[in-house]
Amino acid sequence: MMSLRLRLVAIIGVSLSVLWTAVAVWMFMDVRQQLHSALDERLAASSRMVAGLVSRLPPEQMQVGTKTPLPLQVAARDGLACEVSLMHGEVALQTIARTATSPGLDKAGPGFATRVFGGQSWRIYVLVENGLRIATADRIDAREALLREIALTAGLPFAVALSGSLLLLWFGAGRGLLPIERIR
């Protein structure tokens, strides 16, 4: 037969656990959505920044078929990519700058997209402006690694706090039921 203390702790403990786990999942889903939005905005901002830098280049270097190397060096850390191409109407004619890690983003259309290149999923943003096509991208696995890190950073203290709460509930229920135990 289950003691009153054990029943009380089980009922309250399960209730608290379910409630706080639901809240934690809800918060994580919101953080996940906010993070994806922030990372997408970063891609768009990067494209706009590169467009601004390229627009300052001398016009003679912005001609299709120019063999003169561009002074623009596009550098990125692993998992990020950028490509700058000259456009003629709707067709990209010549890539003038590209990161070393770029998977070849010339097939992506304007705006946001998620594509697989070389077995890797990439989140891509393409900006077409003033005869330029700027594509920026980051790998989905890098985004997911960031989400896992956030979940671990938030989840570990949550698990410790929940365990501590259940332990305190056990001792608190025992202390609160002490007068009943004396009567028994």
Side-chain angles (χ1 to χ4, degrees), residues 19-34:
L19 175 67
W20 285 107
T21 300
V23 168
V25 168
W26 177 30
M27 288 174 57
F28 178 74
M29 297 307 286
D30 187 49
V31 166
R32 178 186 175 101
Q33 190 274 328
Q34 294 293 328

Side-chain angles (χ1 to χ4, degrees), residues 49-58 62 72 84 86 96 132 134:
M49 181 186 71
V50 170
L53 292 172
V54 172
S55 70
R56 293 186 181 131
L57 293 173
M62 301 303 294
L72 176 66
V84 180
L86 297 175
I96 58 174
L132 291 172
I134 295 103

Side-chain angles (χ1 to χ4, degrees), residues 40-55 82-87 89 92 105 108-113 124-137:
D40 280 353
E41 183 53 40
R42 182 190 68 165
L43 284 177
S46 296
S47 290
R48 290 189 297 271
M49 181 186 71
V50 170
L53 292 172
V54 172
S55 70
C82 182
E83 289 184 8
V84 180
S85 303
L86 297 175
M87 299 285 292
L105 305 171
F112 289 102
I124 305 164
Y125 179 75
V126 176
L127 174 68
V128 177
E129 182 179 276
N130 300 327
L132 291 172
R133 179 185 179 280
I134 295 103
T136 54

